Amino acid sequence: MQFILFEDPSHFDLLPLCYTRPVFDLRVGIDRLSEKWNRFLPSSPTQMAAGFLAARFSNFDPSKESIFLNGKFIPNESFVKGLLEACQPGHFVQNEQGEILAFSCHPSILVDFDGIVTEEKLINYNLKPLPKLELDRPAIRFPWDIFKLNGATIREDVDYLMSTRSSVQPNDRHSIIYGGDNLFMEPGVKMRAAIINAEDGPVYLGHGVQIQENAVIHGTHAICESSTISMGAKLRGDSTVGPHSKIGGEVGNSVIQGFSNKGHDGYLGNSVLGQWCNLGADTNTSNLKNNYTEVKIWNYKTERFAKTGSLFCGLIMGDHSKCGINTMFNTGTVVGVSANVFGGGYQRNFIPSFTWGGTNNMSTFALKKSFGVAEAVMKRRNIEFDVAEKSIMTEVFEQSKKYRTWDLNAPKT
């Protein structure tokens, strides 16, 4: 039996983060959703991505009988066990809200399938519904769910790690650690004269992490493989620093997917950064409106601003985007893929992909030039900017054209 993670229409609510990856490749807590599914399934799951992402991310075997599982859910053992027990060949399972949790069929019947699973499509393929399940788990449906669910997910992840293996013990006599029983360290961590407070929640330090002098880390927190926390950094709870990132200044309740830098002073709160992002020195995000009203942010599916249900939401930034020094982001700002943002004053709260500039002076970041920057940045981490990545970026460039209104309004030549 083959297990395949799939996507549903939430994919479009998760843009720009899911412009460049399926939902199950997003990091929440310590690791990606696909890695969490892998803990609880009898064998490693394969993947079925949507649209132009399929060429890079889809890796299932079309010749095997399969159980398809909705990759946006944050699984635990009982949730996965319940789904596998409920699944029957030729049928699909929904939760009480009508979302597709799982279905079972041979992949060969999914002719001309676009990768986005809906009830209507499954019925068209002659799959039949089973009674709805009361099984319930948190899921990533909108970008803000990532930071809202992050603290609880870190705690689950650390509990799992502590139940399966032992932590390395810290050995720097100049570092101060409170709540040491809640600290989980992988081998190769280098920590010097830092303060870690894990009394209010666990702290995870991944392989090869470096914590520099006078950094303060307050749980609940996860710092992933080969990341560096700069001198004097202040990292507040419910945050994740993804692998190979460099972080300084103040960070609170934010998730950095990985390979991204916020190396200098400035505040990042209630935010999500994609991969290959860079925030210039003294960049600040507002995460609370002065009138204490609910934050709304841009939604790509509806093409209007959507309610977040929260007073707190900072910056959502897609892959390969960057900003200059002293950039100020308004509450609830969405920046697309491969944008280069700079300029004085508060930035607009929706900045399309491949934007060059900011405030009232925006132009298009040419695709070829964006390739050059991406190639240079990734080369620094010994990762190739390959054909698959170029293809994805090209598709995003084309799909996001309609948001770059300065191009649409330009005189035709």
Side-chain angles (χ1 to χ4, degrees), residues 305-354:
F305 287 87
K307 295 179 179 180
T308 63
S310 176
L311 298 182
F312 294 94
C313 185
L315 172 67
I316 308 296
M317 178 177 276
D319 284 7
H320 292 285
S321 285
K322 298 163 181 62
C323 68
I325 62 171
N326 300 118
T327 301
M328 295 191 297
F329 288 112
N330 251 312
T331 317
T333 294
V334 173
V335 177
V337 173
S338 197
N340 198 315
V341 183
F342 54 88
Y346 280 104
Q347 301 296 328
R348 291 174 53 187
N349 51 7
F350 172 52
I351 299 174
S353 299
F354 296 91

Side-chain angles (χ1 to χ4, degrees), residues 94-406:
Q94 296 167 285
N95 61 16
E96 293 181 317
Q97 290 73 44
E99 296 174 303
I100 305 296
L101 297 175
F103 62 98
S104 180
C105 70
H106 197 284
S108 62
I109 75 167
L110 303 177
V111 180
D112 297 326
F113 190 59
D114 64 2
I116 298 293
V117 174
T118 66
E119 179 181 7
E120 181 182 9
K121 291 176 184 177
L122 295 183
I123 290 173
N124 286 340
Y125 287 114
N126 294 317
L127 274 68
K128 296 178 172 55
L130 290 165
K132 291 182 178 179
L133 294 182
E134 294 183 4
L135 282 175
D136 189 31
R137 283 293 296 167
I140 304 304
R141 299 177 177 92
F142 299 96
W144 54 86
D145 290 329
I146 296 173
F147 63 77
K148 281 186 176 182
L149 298 172
N150 198 57
T153 306
I154 292 173
R155 290 190 283 274
E156 287 188 348
D157 290 344
V158 172
D159 285 346
Y160 174 80
L161 288 174
M162 289 183 170
S163 71
T164 56
R165 52 194 176 89
S166 299
S167 168
V168 172
Q169 295 303 306
N171 60 7
D172 178 43
R173 63 191 181 92
H174 298 294
S175 291
I176 300 173
I177 297 172
Y178 301 96
D181 290 344
N182 283 332
L183 173 65
F184 193 97
M185 286 177 48
E186 304 282 7
V189 173
K190 183 177 180 181
M191 178 165 43
R192 295 291 181 265
I195 298 175
I196 294 181
N197 187 343
E199 290 180 333
D200 295 332
V203 173
Y204 170 82
L205 304 179
H207 292 270
V209 162
Q210 294 192 43
I211 312 294
Q212 295 182 347
E213 296 83 352
N214 290 329
V216 180
I217 301 168
H218 196 286
T220 301
H221 211 105
I223 301 171
C224 301
E225 177 184 359
S226 299
S227 286
T228 298
I229 307 304
S230 298
M231 294 179 292
K234 297 174 286 188
L235 305 189
R236 301 182 182 275
D238 296 344
S239 296
T240 291
V241 175
H244 302 276
S245 298
K246 296 179 181 179
I247 304 300
E250 184 178 2
V251 177
N253 191 201
S254 297
V255 178
I256 297 160
Q257 292 292 312
F259 297 94
S260 291
N261 294 339
K262 180 203 170 298
H264 306 282
D265 285 344
Y267 178 64
L268 181 71
N270 301 96
S271 299
V272 183
L273 302 185
Q275 294 190 159
W276 310 109
C277 297
N278 186 74
L279 302 188
D282 207 28
T283 291
N284 285 283
T285 63
S286 168
N287 64 338
L288 174 68
K289 296 168 70 173
N290 284 348
N291 60 4
Y292 288 73
T293 57
E294 179 182 0
V295 180
K296 298 179 181 179
I297 72 169
W298 178 259
N299 179 274
Y300 283 83
K301 184 193 289 186
T302 62
E303 298 190 349
R304 62 185 64 185
F305 287 87
K307 295 179 179 180
T308 63
S310 176
L311 298 182
F312 294 94
C313 185
L315 172 67
I316 308 296
M317 178 177 276
D319 284 7
H320 292 285
S321 285
K322 298 163 181 62
C323 68
I325 62 171
N326 300 118
T327 301
M328 295 191 297
F329 288 112
N330 251 312
T331 317
T333 294
V334 173
V335 177
V337 173
S338 197
N340 198 315
V341 183
F342 54 88
Y346 280 104
Q347 301 296 328
R348 291 174 53 187
N349 51 7
F350 172 52
I351 299 174
S353 299
F354 296 91
T355 293
W356 180 272
T359 54
N360 297 318
N361 185 18
M362 291 181 173
S363 60
T364 297
F365 190 13
L367 186 61
K368 187 175 180 179
K369 290 183 178 180
S370 74
F371 282 178
V373 173
E375 184 174 14
V377 170
M378 294 175 73
K379 188 176 181 180
R380 296 177 67 198
R381 306 289 175 85
N382 298 313
I383 296 177
E384 181 186 3
F385 182 58
D386 59 17
V387 173
E389 190 84 2
K390 289 179 182 177
S391 177
I392 289 172
M393 295 276 278
T394 301
E395 288 286 349
V396 175
F397 184 85
E398 293 300 320
Q399 291 195 13
S400 60
K401 271 185 177 179
K402 61 182 178 180
Y403 303 115
R404 296 190 292 275
T405 54
W406 52 86

